[in-house]
Amino acid sequence: EPEVTQTPSHQVTQMGQEVILRCVPISNHLYFYWYRQILGQKVEFLVSFYNNEISEKSEIFDDQFSVERPDGSNFTLKIRSTKLEDSAMYFCASSEGWQGNTEAFFGQGTRLTVV
Amino acid sequence: AQKITQTQPGMFVQEKEAVTLDCTYDTSDQSYGLFWYKQPSSGEMIFLIYQGSYDEQNATEGRYSLNFQKARKSANLVISASQLGDSAMYFCAMRVNTGFQKLVFGTGTRLLVSP
């Protein structure tokens, strides 16, 4: 069964460092998303991406964040200068469409720890 | 703005019993979709079931069913014949079909199934 793959599963970084979280969405999907979940809290939308551009972003997704689809398979989230409060589980998701019962398939997540 | 409310932080159920996890939502849009996801302790998000706002029948997927009461804006998840492996966090989420592709999540309910 096709799945969304995220690497690494866990990343520890020092405050102020740049991190890149990587995702390989399901191959025929057109819509890509990043969500984050701070430990013990609800899942929050960060950004959606379609046709090589951001289609929507939340207020969390400030200038420190960027997304890119550098080739036909990868979808990355970059945090330029990490802060302690960026520590969270980051989920990549993809969907075939966005209407109707098109569900988003989530990856297994990357746990980011900023120290 | 869209909002999902899950008022049960934790639920306990005995194996083989049925359990209902509550979810209410708030939106002014007429077209929307409601989802339930399961998050086991390993962290991944697993899609369980979907209900569209125009669907006349309640959705069912195996042991999962969604008790959709549109006038009350509720979309409760019913798990029949609980199994030990059902112990997890359960998130209700909503997508509004107005061109935005993000999911809005509730705070989740932690379900513990005892033998």
Side-chain angles (χ1 to χ4, degrees):
Chain A
E1 188 176 317
E3 59 181 15
V4 177
T5 307
Q6 289 186 243
T7 54
S9 56
H10 191 187
Q11 175 136 12
V12 182
T13 189
Q14 285 203 319
M15 193 168 57
Q17 295 296 305
E18 174 184 286
V19 293
I20 297 176
L21 310 182
R22 301 180 194 279
C23 170
V24 179
I26 294 173
S27 61
N28 65 330
H29 285 187
L30 302 176
Y31 296 83
F32 315 114
Y33 318 85
W34 284 100
Y35 290 81
R36 81 169 185 192
Q37 184 183 30
I38 295 171
L39 187 64
Q41 298 186 24
K42 65 179 177 181
V43 179
E44 299 173 292
F45 169 80
L46 291 179
V47 66
S48 59
F49 191 87
Y50 169 70
N51 200 26
N52 282 321
E53 60 183 27
I54 291 173
S55 51
E56 188 180 1
K57 58 184 180 180
S58 71
E59 54 274 10
I60 302 168
F61 194 88
D62 61 22
D63 292 343
Q64 293 297 313
F65 291 90
S66 62
V67 288
E68 195 177 33
R69 189 154 162 82
D71 53 44
S73 60
N74 291 287
F75 179 51
T76 61
L77 174 70
K78 183 194 292 186
I79 310 174
R80 254 178 278 282
S81 177
T82 50
K83 303 187 277 279
L84 294 176
E85 54 265 37
D86 293 328
S87 294
M89 181 77 101
Y90 288 81
F91 290 103
C92 173
S94 69
S95 65
E96 207 171 350
W98 59 270
Q99 291 182 310
N101 66 344
T102 311
E103 75 263 27
F105 289 83
F106 282 75
Q108 78 278 23
T110 293
R111 183 168 298 285
L112 176 66
T113 304
V114 182
V115 297
Chain B
Q2 295 77 42
K3 188 178 178 184
I4 293 282
T5 302
Q6 295 179 255
T7 56
Q8 306 155 315
M11 289 286 285
F12 294 89
V13 66
Q14 275 205 313
E15 207 177 359
K16 298 178 186 158
E17 298 290 311
V19 63
T20 298
L21 306 184
D22 294 341
C23 172
T24 58
Y25 59 92
D26 188 23
T27 180
S28 56
D29 291 278
Q30 297 302 309
S31 179
Y32 50 88
L34 296 155
F35 300 79
W36 277 91
Y37 284 87
K38 173 184 177 181
Q39 186 179 43
S41 56
S42 49
E44 71 269 32
M45 298 285 285
I46 302 167
F47 166 75
L48 295 177
I49 196 167
Y50 166 85
Q51 180 83 43
S53 58
Y54 293 118
D55 294 342
E56 293 188 351
Q57 294 205 334
N58 287 341
T60 58
E61 288 283 350
R63 293 186 300 110
Y64 304 109
S65 61
L66 202 151
N67 184 1
F68 181 48
Q69 297 187 44
K70 194 170 180 177
R72 300 174 77 173
K73 293 191 173 178
S74 74
N76 299 338
L77 177 71
V78 180
I79 305 174
S80 62
S82 298
Q83 301 171 355
L84 296 178
D86 293 335
S87 294
M89 279 290 284
Y90 288 81
F91 290 97
C92 181
M94 176 169 61
R95 181 181 61 222
V96 175
N97 296 341
T98 56
F100 301 115
Q101 299 126 17
K102 69 181 183 185
L103 293 173
V104 175
F105 283 82
T107 51
T109 295
R110 183 168 298 281
L111 177 66
L112 186 60
V113 181
S114 59

